Amino acid sequence: MKRVIMILSIILLIVFVVSIGVGSVFIPPLRVLKALFALLGFKMPGVNQMDLTIVGQIRLPRIIIAMVVGMSLSVAGALVQGLYRNPMADPGIIGTSSGASLGAISCIALSLNTMSIFYLPLFSFIGALVVSFLVYRLATKDGRTPILNLILIGIAVSTFISSINSLILSNINQYQVSEYIFWMLGGLDSRSWVHVKISFIPLISLILCSLFFAKRINILILGEEESYTIGVNPERLKKSLLVLVSLLTGVAVSVSGAISFVGLITPHILRLIVGSDYRKLIPASILGGGIFLIVCDTIARVLFSPVEVKVGIITSIIGAPYFLYLLKKRENEVTI
């Protein structure tokens, strides 16, 4: 396990440095490292001023956002898969993504996004949190929250919110429609240090919190009766996990827009490598999620350069075929 974490850490570091250098102006990795050390306050002779500007003001904040958002969505996916005891589960099941989209379109419809950069992230975060709690409350009966209820009500609420979003879309102007579509596609373009300040500390804190649930998720996967026997209250644990997943996803999509499949692909692939023990899977998902989204964002920047593709399109192009593959594989296993 230590070897896997070390390898993932090295890959993340390499991907982080290389991605900063890739773009319309290519900066070799050594020059990127010099610029990074210079920005940290170290005296680095021969540092190019243009490198400092490109790295410090344009690319570094974007790559940091890509890293922490990827980590957050990946961990959220792993937690949801443990909660539902299903490796194909995704944070969207509990209504988080639909809630964030409702918050975003409400902000855009009220033109608050033109008044301050903070309103769109705030509204999308509040929407994600409120809808997630609504799904949980509707699914809870007599103090218990059956997983099947949670899934069915999550789907129903998400469908209802989608219809509300469509209603709002049909009554706003073309510019606002475009703004909402760009948000829904998920993108990290124009991300600045302001976005880093908004999201970095909350997301890193929530990611670290997820590590404390690893052992209890392992127990929950054994079954609710077994959990009670061992001394873990499954209902309390479900509630805590739903809050944590809602916060992780809500804060992440508030600064990145709706980015699909990160929470499905990364934990699923890493489960094949490290196994289903959450004490190993969560740390691996943290690093793997950061690697995956940084790579996808780099592809989005250079694929059709100078035109930039939204990173959400890249994750969907990769994720949708993989999801279909998983469905087909499970279908074959059931048939056999």
Side-chain angles (χ1 to χ4, degrees):
M1 177 57 194
K2 288 182 180 178
R3 182 179 296 177
V4 173
I5 294 299
M6 186 178 296
I7 291 171
L8 288 173
S9 299
I10 293 169
I11 293 172
L12 178 60
L13 180 61
I14 292 170
V15 166
F16 188 89
V17 172
V18 171
S19 65
I20 292 176
V22 173
S24 55
V25 177
F26 176 72
I27 304 174
L30 185 58
R31 279 167 50 189
V32 170
L33 287 172
K34 279 187 175 182
L36 288 173
F37 280 114
L39 290 168
L40 289 172
F42 294 96
K43 290 184 178 180
M44 301 298 295
V47 177
N48 190 317
Q49 186 59 45
M50 186 176 73
D51 288 354
L52 286 175
T53 302
I54 293 173
V55 171
Q57 299 302 317
I58 300 172
R59 294 183 186 167
L60 183 58
R62 175 174 182 153
I63 302 304
I64 290 173
I65 290 291
M67 181 181 70
V68 295
V69 168
M71 289 176 170
S72 303
L73 294 177
S74 178
V75 170
L79 294 177
V80 169
Q81 289 167 12
L83 174 64
Y84 291 116
R85 286 167 251 163
N86 187 336
M88 294 175 66
D90 182 85
I93 287 177
I94 58 174
T96 309
S97 300
S98 59
S101 66
L102 178 61
I105 196 171
S106 299
C107 177
I108 292 167
L110 295 169
S111 298
L112 294 175
N113 60 308
T114 61
M115 297 170 61
S116 171
I117 195 174
F118 292 100
Y119 280 119
L120 188 57
L122 178 63
F123 270 64
S124 57
F125 168 67
I126 292 172
L129 207 57
V130 169
V131 173
S132 297
F133 273 104
L134 175 63
V135 169
Y136 176 77
R137 292 301 303 166
L138 291 173
T140 303
K141 186 178 181 181
D142 300 326
R144 297 179 69 86
T145 313
I147 296 300
L148 183 59
N149 278 14
L150 207 55
I151 293 172
L152 294 176
I153 290 174
I155 293 170
V157 170
S158 295
T159 304
F160 176 71
I161 288 176
S162 294
S163 64
I164 294 176
N165 289 347
S166 299
L167 182 64
I168 297 173
L169 274 174
S170 63
N171 287 281
I172 57 178
N173 62 50
Q174 191 61 45
Y175 173 77
Q176 291 172 322
V177 171
S178 299
E179 285 280 306
Y180 175 69
I181 290 173
F182 278 123
W183 185 88
M184 279 299 296
L185 289 174
L188 301 173
D189 46 304
S190 304
R191 293 303 175 263
S192 64
W193 287 109
V194 173
H195 296 92
V196 176
K197 290 176 184 177
I198 292 172
S199 61
F200 186 81
I201 292 177
L203 287 177
I204 292 297
S205 301
L206 291 167
I207 288 167
L208 293 176
C209 282
S210 68
L211 295 169
F212 294 102
F213 288 94
K215 188 176 180 180
R216 281 179 282 176
I217 295 173
N218 285 340
I219 295 170
L220 180 65
I221 291 172
L222 297 174
E224 296 193 14
E225 296 301 325
E226 289 79 359
S227 299
Y228 275 116
T229 304
I230 296 171
V232 173
N233 186 326
E235 294 304 317
R236 189 179 299 165
L237 179 56
K238 287 178 197 174
K239 197 173 190 176
S240 300
L241 289 175
L242 283 169
V243 170
L244 184 54
V245 169
S246 300
L247 289 171
L248 276 167
T249 311
V251 177
V253 301
S254 72
V255 293
S256 68
I259 298 177
S260 306
F261 291 107
V262 179
L264 171 68
I265 296 174
T266 315
H268 194 278
I269 292 175
L270 290 168
R271 187 178 277 104
L272 300 176
I273 299 171
V274 302
S276 296
D277 185 343
Y278 271 73
R279 291 171 296 181
K280 299 175 182 178
L281 183 59
I282 290 178
S285 295
I286 293 170
L287 296 169
I291 294 167
F292 178 70
L293 198 58
I294 289 174
V295 170
C296 287
D297 183 54
T298 304
I299 294 171
R301 285 190 287 123
V302 303
L303 187 61
F304 296 111
S305 182
V307 177
E308 185 172 315
V309 180
K310 292 288 184 179
V311 68
I313 297 173
I314 302 298
T315 59
S316 295
I317 289 172
I318 297 171
Y322 187 75
F323 183 65
L324 291 173
Y325 161 74
L326 293 179
L327 286 174
K328 197 67 181 174
K329 184 181 177 183
R330 172 159 292 199
E331 181 184 292
N332 292 336
E333 288 173 353
V334 171
T335 304
I336 293 170

